[in-house]
Amino acid sequence: MKTGAKILIEGLIRQGVTTIFGYPGGVVLPIYDELYDSPLQHILVRHEQAAAHAADGYARASGRTGVCLATSGPGACNLVTGIATAYMDSVPMVALTGQVPTSLLGNDAFQESDITGITMPITKHNYLVNKTEDLDSVIREAFHIARTGRQGPVLIDIPKDVATNQIPDPPDDYQFHIRGYNPTLQGHLRQIEKALAMIDEAKRPVIYAGGGVIASNASSELIRLAELTGTPVTTTLMGIGAIPCDHPLNLGMLGMHGTRYANYAVTECDLLIAIGARFDDRVTGKIQSFAPNAGIIHIDIDPAEIGKNKPVDVPIVGDSKSVLTCMLDRIAKQPSRQGWNEKVNHWKSTHPMALPDDGVLRPQMVIRTLSDLLDGEGIIVSEVGQNQMWTAQHFCFRHPRTWITSGGLGTMGYGLPAAMGAHYARPDLPVFDIAGDGSIQMNIQEFGTIAQYDIPVKVVILNNMFLGMVRQWQELFYDRRYSYTELPEVDFVGIARAYGIDGMRVDSADLVKEALMSAIETDGPFVLDFRIEREENVFPMVPAGAAINEMIGGRQE
C-alpha cells in the first residue's frame, strides 16, 4: 500500500525530475514529509512566484520539464504570474498545488482557492485530483501534455486527503490515451513542396525565426537551411541564440527594438519564411505594413497561430525540427542571392548598433564588455524593461538556450529566480542575471535562497533610479512628465551583504571590466550595482502604431 504523496514522488522520479522549487504549507505537509527521504532535490524559495519562475528558467535552460510546488490558497495563487509567464512563452512546466480535503471543497475552507478555475486560461491543461487512484495516471498525462506539441504549463491540484489516503501500488505499465489530444508533428509533404518552390523562386527571402526553433531544438537545421538558400535570418526576442550572433546571415532581432537592418530587410523582402514564430505585435508593428510585398510561409506546431495575425500563403503545421529536416532532405543548394545579401550587408554597415566612446558609464557598454569576457558562453537571464532590450541588442549569443527572458508576458521580477533555475539546469555554465533597479526589487527576497544554497548567480544591476522603460515612453510621448517612475537610491550591495553575498558598486566606465571580472572569478554569488547614465534610452525604437521601418533614435556611424 502507498499513500498518494508516495505515489506522487515516485511518479516525479519516473518522469526524470531531479529538482523541485517550492514552499511548504499545511495541506502539502504529507508531500513534504515524503520529500524528506526522497532523492529529489528541493530548493526552498522565499516566495512561491519565485518557485514558478525558477522552474521556468530550469526548463528553458535544459529543455526538460520544470516543476514547482506550493500549498493551497495564497501559496497556489502566488504561482499564477509564473504560470502565465510560462504559458505565454510555451515553456514546459508542471505546477503542483495542495488543496483542502475533498470533503471541504466549495465550503470556503481555510486557505481554499479554486486554483484550477483561476489558472484555466493560463495553463495548457489542469487537474483537480479527486481520488488517490487517479493520481498516478494524472502525473503521467500532465508531463506528456506539458512537453509535447506546443509546450506549456500544466497544473495538478492535490487535496490533502488524496495525498494521505493509501491504495495498492499502481501498475508500472499504465498506458494512457488522451482523447482529442494528438499534436501534429510531421508537416504535410505537399505543403512542404509548395514552400520549397516559393523559396526557389524568391529573389529577396528572409527567415523569421522564433522561440519554436529553440523549443524544438532545430537550430542546426535552421542554420543549414539559411546557408543552403543564402537567406538572411532575423529572430524574435525568444529566438535569440537560434543562429550564432556573428554568423554572416544573422540580422539580429527585429521589431520594436530590433536592428534597423533586420526591419528594413523584412519590409523589402519578397518571401518571409516564419518558423516557430507567432507574428507578435512587438515584432510586426503596424501589421498591414509588415512584409507588405512578401509571400509568407508559416511553419508552426500550433495551427491556431497560423493566419491568426497575418494572412499566410503556405501554412505548414508541424514541429519545426521535423519540418525543416524534411525540407532539407528535398532541397538543393541554391544561388547565394548575392545582390540581395549585398544590399542587406550595406544596411548592416551603414546602420550598426553603434556606441559613443565618451567615457560615460552606459548600459550598452556594460553588456558588450560582459559579452566579450564570456565570448558567447554561459547563460544570460534578464529581467524586463530597458535592461532586457539592451541585453538582446548588445550581447553576442552563440548558442540556443543561453538567453532566458520573459517575452510574451513581460514579467518584472522574472530574472533572479529564473537564473536560479538555470543554474540547476546547467551547473557547468556561469549564469548572469541582467536587471534593472526596478525589476530586481520585485523578487529581491530571493537573495536569501541564493545565499542559503550558495547558488553562483551573478547579478548585474543597470541602475538608473527609474522604472526605465516606462520613463522612456514618458520622455518621448508624454512631454517628460515623469509620473511615479523615479525611484529612490538603494544600497543594493549593502542588501546583498546582509544576506551574506559579496558585491561591488561601480560609478565609473573605467571600472566596468574590472568589476565584471571580479564577479566572474568569484566562486559564489555576486552583485554588481552599475550606476548608469540615468536617461539613457533603448534605440532604435518603433513607436506604437508605426511600421517597423519607421524607427526613431539610435546612434549611427
Side-chain angles (χ1 to χ4, degrees), residues 92-163:
M93 186 170 79
V94 172
L96 305 169
T97 55
Q99 186 55 274
V100 300
T102 54
S103 61
L104 296 179
L105 287 171
N107 289 341
D108 294 329
F110 177 66
Q111 290 194 332
E112 179 186 5
S113 65
D114 178 13
I115 195 62
T116 53
I118 290 169
T119 61
M120 189 171 293
I122 56 167
T123 51
K124 191 175 176 184
H125 193 58
N126 63 29
Y127 298 87
L128 171 59
V129 185
N130 286 303
K131 297 188 299 182
T132 305
E133 288 80 1
D134 295 336
L135 187 55
D136 181 66
S137 62
V138 165
I139 296 164
R140 296 172 190 261
E141 289 182 12
F143 276 85
H144 176 73
I145 292 171
R147 63 192 174 205
T148 57
R150 181 176 182 173
Q151 299 173 344
V154 177
L155 182 137
I156 306 175
D157 198 28
I158 307 170
K160 187 174 183 179
D161 56 319
V162 171

Side-chain angles (χ1 to χ4, degrees), residues 393-406:
Q393 290 176 335
H394 294 280
F395 194 94
C396 183
F397 292 94
R398 300 184 189 279
H399 310 289
R401 299 194 183 280
T402 58
W403 165 237
I404 296 174
T405 194
S406 170

Side-chain angles (χ1 to χ4, degrees), residues 17-328:
V17 176
T18 58
T19 306
I20 298 175
F21 304 91
Y23 201 93
V27 299
V28 290
L29 284 180
I31 297 171
Y32 271 87
D33 188 63
E34 197 62 49
L35 274 170
Y36 189 81
D37 296 315
S38 87
L40 294 176
Q41 180 180 38
H42 178 278
I43 305 302
L44 176 65
V45 297
R46 297 303 183 265
H47 190 286
E48 291 91 350
Q49 184 187 125
H53 291 327
D56 176 307
Y58 177 94
R60 297 193 205 214
S62 66
R64 300 187 295 272
T65 304
V67 179
C68 56
L69 171 60
T71 193
S72 64
C77 288
N78 282 342
L79 294 178
V80 167
T81 300
I83 293 171
T85 300
Y87 181 75
M88 289 288 283
D89 290 343
S90 304
V91 176
M93 186 170 79
V94 172
L96 305 169
T97 55
Q99 186 55 274
V100 300
T102 54
S103 61
L104 296 179
L105 287 171
N107 289 341
D108 294 329
F110 177 66
Q111 290 194 332
E112 179 186 5
S113 65
D114 178 13
I115 195 62
T116 53
I118 290 169
T119 61
M120 189 171 293
I122 56 167
T123 51
K124 191 175 176 184
H125 193 58
N126 63 29
Y127 298 87
L128 171 59
V129 185
N130 286 303
K131 297 188 299 182
T132 305
E133 288 80 1
D134 295 336
L135 187 55
D136 181 66
S137 62
V138 165
I139 296 164
R140 296 172 190 261
E141 289 182 12
F143 276 85
H144 176 73
I145 292 171
R147 63 192 174 205
T148 57
R150 181 176 182 173
Q151 299 173 344
V154 177
L155 182 137
I156 306 175
D157 198 28
I158 307 170
K160 187 174 183 179
D161 56 319
V162 171
T164 57
N165 289 342
Q166 293 190 338
I167 63 169
D169 289 6
D172 289 335
D173 59 349
Y174 174 80
Q175 300 294 319
F176 61 85
H177 171 70
I178 305 171
R179 188 173 63 181
Y181 182 70
N182 188 27
T184 300
L185 301 180
Q186 306 295 327
H188 195 285
L189 185 56
R190 187 177 302 167
Q191 295 297 97
I192 290 174
E193 289 172 346
K194 288 180 182 178
L196 292 174
M198 288 185 72
I199 294 171
D200 186 56
E201 294 171 3
K203 305 297 183 187
R204 302 183 308 279
V206 169
I207 294 173
Y208 155 42
V213 175
I214 307 286
S216 64
N217 300 312
S219 295
S220 60
E221 289 80 6
L222 168 74
I223 295 167
R224 188 170 167 223
L225 177 67
E227 292 174 346
L228 277 173
T229 61
T231 303
V233 179
T234 182
T235 67
T236 66
L237 180 71
M238 303 306 301
I240 290 174
I243 182 170
C245 55
D246 51 2
H247 192 287
L249 291 171
N250 188 2
L251 298 175
M253 184 175 69
L254 81 165
M256 179 174 281
H257 292 295
T259 65
R260 286 182 177 269
Y261 38 91
N263 287 354
Y264 290 157
V266 169
T267 301
E268 294 200 17
C269 72
D270 64 357
L271 176 65
L272 188 68
I273 308 164
I275 309 171
R278 58 189 179 90
F279 291 83
D280 176 72
D281 60 288
R282 288 295 173 108
V283 164
T284 65
K286 184 179 179 181
I287 192 70
Q288 297 87 344
S289 302
F290 184 74
N293 302 310
I296 297 179
I297 299 166
H298 192 178
I299 301 166
D300 203 285
I301 200 165
D302 185 354
E305 290 295 345
I306 296 180
K308 184 178 79 174
N309 295 325
K310 183 81 173 175
V312 173
D313 296 283
V314 179
I316 303 176
V317 178
D319 173 72
S320 295
K321 188 178 186 74
S322 172
V323 172
L324 290 178
T325 299
C326 185
M327 293 176 74
L328 290 168

Side-chain angles (χ1 to χ4, degrees), residues 385-448:
Q386 289 181 315
N387 63 88
Q388 178 186 36
M389 294 298 107
W390 284 321
T391 307
Q393 290 176 335
H394 294 280
F395 194 94
C396 183
F397 292 94
R398 300 184 189 279
H399 310 289
R401 299 194 183 280
T402 58
W403 165 237
I404 296 174
T405 194
S406 170
L409 198 64
T411 307
M412 291 178 68
Y414 170 83
L416 185 60
M420 299 187 316
H423 164 72
Y424 284 101
R426 294 297 308 272
D428 55 313
L429 295 177
V431 179
F432 274 78
D433 173 35
I434 311 298
D437 53 309
S439 282
I440 195 65
Q441 294 184 71
M442 288 279 188
N443 273 312
I444 198 169
Q445 76 285 336
E446 296 311 310
F447 280 175

Side-chain angles (χ1 to χ4, degrees), residues 361 366 435-437 440 447 459-465 488-496 502-508 512 515-516 519 526-532:
L361 179 49
V366 175
D437 53 309
I440 195 65
F447 280 175
V459 182
V460 173
I461 302 172
L462 304 176
N463 188 350
N464 54 16
M465 291 185 286
E489 183 172 353
V490 175
D491 182 4
F492 290 110
V493 174
I495 293 172
D502 201 3
M504 180 186 305
R505 172 172 165 168
V506 183
D507 296 284
S508 168
V512 168
L516 289 170
F526 201 88
V527 173
L528 288 169
D529 180 8
F530 288 98
R531 299 303 176 102
I532 62 170

